[in-house]
């Protein structure tokens, strides 16, 4: 063997070297036993040249070349050689089946296996891993069982590699619970295939195998796959770490978490230690259970055995800590990980964004680009929500441009993120344009657009989209129901809201959750049906302070002090430190002129160390965020802003504006109340926007609390005076002010 490999090395170093037929023959015989001696695609092509030179018509030598080409996934070269064989030998079939499978051509891989059986060639244990892989990726449990029957009859089921491949296939098909899904997915895969290929695949002796005798009447469902995993594993005479890891990973991915952890304990009893694949499989379990203590134990094991340098384990640890809201630990693991790849970056960025650390997520994304790590589709899907929550429209547009240059704009997940970002940044028309261009829209796409319409007050459009989604065969989930109830709430469509709420359980089998009760309570409250809202919330098992606060806010709007006191007591029972509720109660008393009660509430807040969060507004101008607080003098253009406000005030008064001081909740005279109104943060942000942007530019302002009635009236007039569209997003919805009107229709 050593001398033969020496000949090989000489030929590969110098393809023009002279070799005798005997040397080439010895070389090819050696390669039949050790094809891995060829270490690159160029060496494979040089070997092929030697075959063509010395014995081009030999099926055995041609099969050897196919085998070597398949090792390097060179499908075109393998096919060219395979088609020259009139009666391909077993080696040629095995190689082409493998080459199809590694290139993702699973239907052709199975068709070649069928042809191999029909030609009289008997497959050996090296064929079945590729065939079973194809069955798994085609989501065809019935076909996989047929192959399993073939394996049993040929006596190959005792082979370790074949057994591992069987476990892997059944584990991946474990989640198929309905045969209809399997038939549907197979039809999609075979759509457009030639009739001959389908006939070969399903009308062959493979599909005629007697499954019952081979598989003991095993059920052909997802549950059957579950039992098959256990049966194959238990009947294996030899198991290695791959066998154990495959079962553990399959259980973990299919939600059988207790079974997965039990298998890890059994593996230890069998004398095998968890490796990086075991750890990568079980860490997501602790992430899902939010069990940081168990996760830390695994982290300790990782460090003790030196697995902390592995990127997959590091990414799993980052994800685990992020899901457990331990972002600092997640970032710490990321920083000590060497040579972080895209997965590691995506994990830490997603962790920051999902835990509300949007600025940190954006900082890490910029750092990833600086480190020349090319972002993938997951990277953009992870970072877009940060732009949506921070309402950084310009940054979102830059990312959109980057996405288009990278060719990811046809990715449904990224497109859905863009719809959500533009909608939350006030660009609902752009969101609709992107939504219309999405091919194969999924539940996330529809929900993002429906919720966008809801937040912008386009309830009729939201309902139309919801019904269209159902017509296209997409069954609403709990998020879609929340979106449509929100749309009804923001438009005061109480009958439609009740109908959708009642249908949740009857038609869609969805039990109302907190968010659904909140939307309905908000709908009743906005419509002034405060008692109905109170009764609805009272039917909940454990209503939270947040949902009671929706009703308390409505009590302020509708000036129902008695119910407000009753609701406030409910809030303080479950959430004694609820700042918003105490501020609302204080404002309700102030609105009624009950200043003693106001003082009492404020004294309680002071004794508890509770401070009211100031109302603030912000606007993005030239890629910079400017924040404003009422009567704040810290902005460098404070004087210019005041002058602009005075000019606007004069023009508004000429247009008939009269200040509404009813919501100025301070015990001062009317003139002082008017002065306080003029300095509200959203007015300052709008004045700055007008003076800092070209005429005709849309002004976009975000406010952290509900816009007051007087500011709402004032901004309508301002939009008409300056001839601009002004978009204000408060903590409830979007307001589009244009030509003296607002999109909310005075309902917010």
């Amino acid at each position: 063997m050593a001398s033969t490999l020496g000949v090989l090395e000489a030929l590969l170093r110098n393809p023009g070297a002279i070799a005798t037929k005997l040397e080439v023959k010895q070389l090819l015989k050696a390669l039949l036993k050790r094809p891995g001696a060829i270490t690159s695609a160029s060496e494979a092509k040089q070997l092929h040249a030697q075959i063509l030179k010395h014995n081009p018509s030999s099926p055995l030598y041609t099969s050897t070349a196919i085998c070597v080409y398949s090792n390097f996934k060179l499908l075109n070269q393998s096919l060219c050689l395979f088609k020259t064989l009139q009666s391909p030998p077993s080696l040629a079939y095995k190689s082409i089946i493998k080459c199809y499978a590694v290139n993702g051509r699973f239907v052709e891989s199975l068709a070649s296996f069928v042809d191999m059986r029909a030609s009289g060639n008997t497959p050996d244990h090296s064929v079945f891993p590729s065939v079973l892989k194809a069955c798994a990726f085609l989501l065809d449990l019935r076909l996989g069982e047929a192959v399993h029957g073939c394996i049993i009859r040929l006596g190959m089921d005792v082979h370790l590699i074949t057994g591992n491949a069987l476990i892997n296939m059944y584990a991946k098909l474990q989640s198929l619970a309905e045969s209809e899904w399997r038939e549907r997915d197979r039809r999609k895969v075979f759509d457009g295939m030639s009739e001959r290929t389908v006939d070969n695949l399903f009308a062959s002796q493979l599909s005629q195998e007697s499954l019952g005798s081979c598989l003991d009447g095993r059920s052909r469902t997802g549950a059957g796959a579950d039992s098959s995993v256990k049966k194959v594993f238990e009947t294996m005479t030899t198991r290695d770490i791959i066998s154990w890891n495959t079962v553990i990973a399959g259980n973990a991915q299919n939600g059988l978490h207790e079974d997965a952890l039990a298998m890890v304990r059994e593996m230890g009893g069998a004398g095998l230690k968890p490796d990086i694949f075991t750890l990568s499989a079980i860490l997501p379990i602790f992430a899902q259970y939010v069990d940081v203590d168990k996760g830390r134990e695994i982290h300790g094991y990782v460090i003790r055995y030196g697995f902390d340098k592995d990127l997959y384990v590091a990414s799993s640890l980052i994800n685990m800590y992020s899901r457990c809201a331990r972002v600092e630990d997640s970032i710490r693991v990321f920083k000590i990980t060497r040579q972080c790849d895209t997965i590691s970056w995506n994990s830490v960025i997603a962790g920051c964004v999902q835990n509300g650390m949007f600025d940190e997520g954006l900082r890490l994304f910029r750092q990833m680009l600086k480190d020349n790590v090319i972002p993938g589709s997951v990277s953009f899907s992870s970072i877009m929500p940060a732009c949506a929550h921070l309402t950084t429209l310009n940054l979102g547009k830059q990312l959109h441009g980057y996405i288009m240059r990278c060719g990811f704009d046809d990715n449904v997940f990224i497109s859905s993120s863009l719809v959500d970002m533009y909608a939350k940044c006030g660009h609902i028309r752009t969101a609709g344009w992107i939504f219309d261009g999405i091919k194969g829209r999924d539940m996330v796409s529809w929900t993002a657009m429906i919720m966008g319409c809801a937040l912008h007050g386009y309830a009729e459009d939201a309902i139309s989209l919801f019904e269209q989604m159902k017509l296209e065969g997409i069954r609403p989930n709990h998020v879609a129901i929340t979106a449509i109830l929100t749309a009804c709430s923001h438009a005061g469509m109480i009958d439609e809201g009740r109908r959708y709420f009642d249908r949740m359980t009857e038609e869609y089998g969805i039990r109302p959750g907190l968010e659904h009760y909140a939307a309905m309570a908000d709908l009743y409250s906005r419509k002034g049906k405060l008692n109905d809202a109170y009764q609805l919330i009272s039917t909940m098992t454990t209503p939270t302070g947040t949902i009671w606060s929706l009703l308390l806010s409505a009590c302020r709007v509708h000036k129902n002090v008695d119910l407000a006191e009753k609701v406030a007591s409910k809030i303080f029972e479950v959430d004694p430190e609820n700042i918003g509720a105490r501020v609302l109660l204080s404002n309700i008393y102030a609105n009624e002129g009950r200043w003693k009660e106001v003082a009492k509430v404020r004294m309680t807040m002071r004794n508890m160390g509770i401070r009211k969060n100031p109302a603030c507004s912000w606007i993005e101008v030239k890629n910079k965020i400017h924040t404003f607080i009422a009567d704040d003098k810290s902005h460098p253009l404070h004087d210019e802003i005041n002058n602009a406000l005075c000019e606007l005030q004069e023009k508004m008064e000429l247009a008939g504006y009269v200040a509404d001081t009813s919501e100025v909740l301070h015990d001062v005279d009317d003139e002082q109340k008017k002065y306080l109104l003029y300095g509200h943060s959203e007015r300052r942000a709008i004045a700055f926007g007008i003076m800092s942007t070209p005429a005709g530019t849309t002004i976009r302002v975000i406010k952290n609390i509900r816009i007051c009635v007087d500011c709402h009236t004032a901004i309508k007039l301002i939009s008409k005076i300056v001839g601009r569209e002004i978009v204000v997003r408060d903590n409830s919805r979007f307001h589009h002010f244009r030509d003296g009107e607002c999109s909310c229709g005075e309902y917010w």
Side-chain angles (χ1 to χ4, degrees):
M1 173 65 81
S3 61
T4 303
L5 293 178
V7 173
L8 170 63
E9 291 172 2
L11 289 172
L12 296 179
R13 282 197 303 269
N14 182 12
I18 297 175
T20 66
K21 286 189 176 182
L22 178 60
E23 287 175 327
V24 173
K25 188 175 181 180
Q26 290 174 339
L27 169 65
L28 294 174
K29 284 183 177 180
L31 286 174
L32 285 173
K33 298 179 181 178
R34 191 180 170 188
I38 301 294
T39 58
S40 69
S42 62
E43 290 181 359
K45 292 176 182 178
Q46 291 169 25
L47 173 66
H48 185 193
Q50 292 294 332
I51 293 173
L52 292 174
K53 180 178 178 181
H54 292 281
N55 201 343
S57 61
S58 170
L60 182 60
Y61 293 169
T62 301
S63 298
T64 303
I66 296 172
C67 178
V68 173
Y69 275 139
S70 69
N71 288 339
F72 298 101
K73 303 181 182 180
L74 299 174
L75 181 59
N76 291 334
Q77 291 88 337
S78 299
L79 282 174
C80 287
L81 287 174
F82 186 80
K83 290 175 181 177
T84 65
L85 299 171
Q86 291 185 350
S87 299
S90 180
L91 177 61
Y93 271 118
K94 289 191 289 186
S95 301
I96 204 68
I97 290 168
K98 173 185 174 183
C99 200
Y100 271 131
V102 296
N103 280 280
R105 303 275 290 274
F106 301 115
V107 173
E108 290 90 340
S109 181
L110 288 173
S112 297
F113 177 70
V114 171
D115 289 343
M116 179 184 186
R117 295 283 285 140
S119 69
N121 284 287
T122 302
D124 61 16
H125 62 83
S126 64
V127 174
F128 288 110
S130 297
V131 176
L132 292 168
K133 177 183 178 181
C135 294
F137 274 90
L138 293 178
L139 303 177
D140 199 315
L141 180 58
R142 184 178 69 85
L143 197 58
E145 289 176 333
V147 175
H148 190 179
C150 180
I151 290 170
I152 293 172
R153 265 192 304 283
L154 294 172
M156 303 290 181
D157 52 322
V158 296
H159 196 276
L160 177 62
I161 296 176
T162 303
N164 287 342
L166 278 167
I167 294 173
N168 180 63
M169 179 196 70
Y170 282 124
K172 287 183 176 177
L173 296 177
Q174 210 164 339
S175 60
L176 289 180
E178 297 292 339
S179 61
E180 291 80 12
W181 297 357
R182 184 169 64 252
E183 294 297 328
R184 179 199 64 191
D185 290 327
R186 186 168 63 240
R187 283 197 297 271
K188 287 182 181 178
V189 171
F190 298 138
D191 185 34
M193 288 175 52
S194 68
E195 188 175 335
R196 176 189 171 278
T197 305
V198 177
D199 288 344
N200 273 357
L201 193 57
F202 293 107
S204 67
Q205 60 183 24
L206 173 64
S207 62
Q208 295 168 10
E209 302 278 8
S210 176
L211 302 182
S213 60
C214 299
L215 302 177
D216 304 319
R218 186 178 293 117
S219 168
R220 298 178 183 86
T221 63
D226 179 17
S227 63
S228 297
V229 171
K230 296 177 182 177
K231 182 169 288 188
V232 172
F233 182 78
E234 290 170 357
T235 56
M236 290 176 68
T237 55
T238 305
R239 303 170 190 154
D240 61 4
I241 189 70
I242 297 174
S243 314
W244 288 91
N245 283 342
T246 305
V247 177
I248 291 167
N251 285 335
Q253 291 165 6
N254 287 287
L256 303 172
H257 299 148
E258 294 299 330
D259 291 346
L261 296 175
M263 289 295 291
V264 174
R265 290 189 287 269
E266 287 182 34
M267 183 173 70
L272 293 171
K273 292 183 178 179
D275 64 3
I276 56 175
F277 299 103
T278 320
L279 299 171
S280 298
I282 62 173
L283 276 169
I285 297 176
F286 303 124
Q288 185 162 339
Y289 284 155
V290 195
D291 192 340
V292 71
D293 293 330
K294 287 287 193 302
R296 284 184 181 278
E297 290 179 19
I298 299 297
H299 193 179
Y301 179 91
V302 165
I303 294 172
R304 284 195 302 275
Y305 288 93
F307 295 138
D308 51 325
K309 298 177 180 62
D310 182 82
L311 284 175
Y312 292 102
V313 174
S315 297
S316 297
L317 283 168
I318 291 168
N319 179 61
M320 184 273 295
Y321 281 124
S322 298
R323 293 285 293 273
C324 294
R326 302 298 294 265
V327 185
E328 295 81 5
D329 292 330
S330 176
I331 294 174
R332 191 176 296 115
V333 172
F334 174 77
K335 287 181 177 178
I336 64 175
T337 303
R338 299 176 183 176
Q339 297 178 338
C340 293
D341 61 358
T342 308
I343 297 174
S344 307
W345 281 100
N346 290 344
S347 298
V348 72
I349 290 169
C352 290
V353 173
Q354 290 164 7
N355 284 280
M357 297 175 63
F358 306 118
D359 290 314
E360 181 66 13
L362 288 169
R363 186 192 68 78
L364 286 166
F365 184 80
R366 293 189 187 99
Q367 188 62 48
M368 180 176 74
L369 297 180
K370 288 180 182 178
D371 289 354
N372 296 318
V373 178
I374 299 174
S377 58
V378 177
S379 309
F380 291 111
S381 297
S382 300
I383 198 60
M384 290 309 299
C387 298
H389 284 277
L390 294 175
T391 61
T392 50
L393 179 61
N394 287 332
L395 180 58
K397 287 181 176 179
Q398 292 174 26
L399 286 172
H400 190 184
Y402 198 149
I403 287 166
M404 295 178 71
R405 289 194 297 275
C406 292
F408 291 133
D409 49 322
D410 60 348
N411 182 293
V412 66
F413 301 107
I414 292 178
S415 296
S416 300
S417 297
L418 286 169
V419 170
D420 182 61
M421 184 274 295
Y422 277 114
K424 288 180 178 175
C425 288
H427 257 272
I428 190 64
R429 286 188 290 273
T430 305
W433 172 73
I434 294 172
F435 176 78
D436 290 339
I438 298 176
K439 296 178 181 178
R441 292 183 289 232
D442 61 3
M443 174 60 69
V444 177
S445 313
W446 285 100
T447 303
M449 194 64 221
I450 293 168
M451 183 60 86
C453 290
L455 293 175
H456 286 266
Y458 302 122
E460 296 291 346
D461 292 336
I463 291 173
S464 176
L465 285 167
F466 186 84
E467 295 302 327
Q468 185 183 345
M469 177 184 72
K470 292 196 298 180
L471 289 174
E472 293 192 14
I474 297 179
R475 186 180 180 86
N477 63 6
H478 69 285
V479 181
I481 298 295
T482 302
I484 198 63
L485 290 176
T486 301
C488 295
S489 172
H490 286 185
M493 303 171 72
I494 199 162
D495 293 334
E496 290 84 351
R498 282 173 174 165
R499 186 170 67 251
Y500 283 118
F501 186 78
D502 292 339
R503 284 182 183 175
M504 281 180 61
T505 306
E506 297 172 5
E507 292 188 20
Y508 312 127
I510 300 172
R511 293 181 61 184
L514 175 63
E515 63 276 15
H516 306 116
Y517 278 106
M520 283 302 297
D522 190 47
L523 172 56
Y524 283 130
S525 299
R526 288 171 185 266
K527 203 67 175 175
K529 295 182 175 295
L530 305 186
N531 290 327
D532 289 342
Y534 184 88
Q535 293 300 324
L536 176 71
I537 298 172
S538 298
T539 62
M540 296 177 63
T541 307
T542 53
T544 64
T546 302
I547 196 168
W548 280 117
S549 294
L550 290 170
L551 180 54
L552 184 61
S553 180
C555 290
R556 176 194 170 191
V557 173
H558 296 283
K559 298 178 171 50
N560 190 328
V561 181
D562 293 338
L563 184 59
E565 291 176 331
K566 190 175 179 181
V567 170
S569 66
K570 295 283 188 182
I571 295 173
F572 301 145
E573 284 177 13
V574 296
D575 189 4
E577 297 185 1
N578 191 310
I579 300 173
R582 294 188 185 277
V583 171
L584 273 172
L585 185 60
S586 172
N587 291 344
I588 290 168
Y589 285 138
N591 200 43
E592 294 295 311
R594 296 168 58 173
W595 300 111
K596 288 184 179 179
E597 284 84 351
V598 171
K600 185 177 179 181
V601 172
R602 291 178 179 173
M603 180 63 71
T604 301
M605 292 174 63
R606 192 176 299 116
N607 293 337
M608 295 177 66
I610 297 174
R611 292 189 63 186
K612 173 186 175 183
N613 292 324
C616 65
S617 301
W618 57 97
I619 183 172
E620 184 178 2
V621 176
K622 297 179 181 178
N623 295 326
K624 184 178 179 182
I625 303 295
H626 297 262
T627 304
F628 296 89
I629 299 174
D631 296 321
D632 180 29
K633 299 179 181 180
S634 62
H635 197 280
L637 297 178
H638 170 74
D639 292 336
E640 290 87 340
I641 293 170
N642 273 350
N643 292 335
L645 281 172
C646 288
E647 290 181 16
L648 285 172
Q649 185 69 24
E650 290 175 3
K651 292 178 181 179
M652 287 162 54
E653 289 176 352
L654 288 174
Y657 167 73
V658 177
D660 181 356
T661 60
S662 62
E663 291 195 23
V664 180
L665 306 176
H666 296 276
D667 192 9
V668 294
D669 59 36
D670 285 346
E671 286 301 315
Q672 182 65 20
K673 287 183 179 182
K674 290 179 183 179
Y675 175 78
L676 292 172
L677 285 173
Y678 300 157
H680 275 192
S681 61
E682 60 266 49
R683 296 198 200 189
R684 302 184 69 80
I686 290 169
F688 174 74
I690 292 171
M691 57 186 276
S692 304
T693 57
T697 304
T698 299
I699 305 295
R700 302 179 189 280
V701 173
I702 312 297
K703 186 172 184 181
N704 66 336
I705 63 172
R706 181 180 184 271
I707 187 173
C708 74
V709 174
D710 184 71
C711 284
H712 192 269
T713 302
I715 298 170
K716 285 194 296 181
L717 286 171
I718 292 171
S719 70
K720 187 173 184 178
I721 291 167
V722 300
R724 303 231 204 161
E725 180 180 5
I726 301 173
V727 181
V728 179
R729 176 185 173 183
D730 62 12
N731 66 346
S732 175
R733 63 176 296 157
F734 280 92
H735 300 263
H736 292 257
F737 298 93
R738 189 186 299 112
D739 297 326
E741 300 294 334
C742 180
S743 61
C744 73
E746 309 304 311
Y747 188 85
W748 83 98

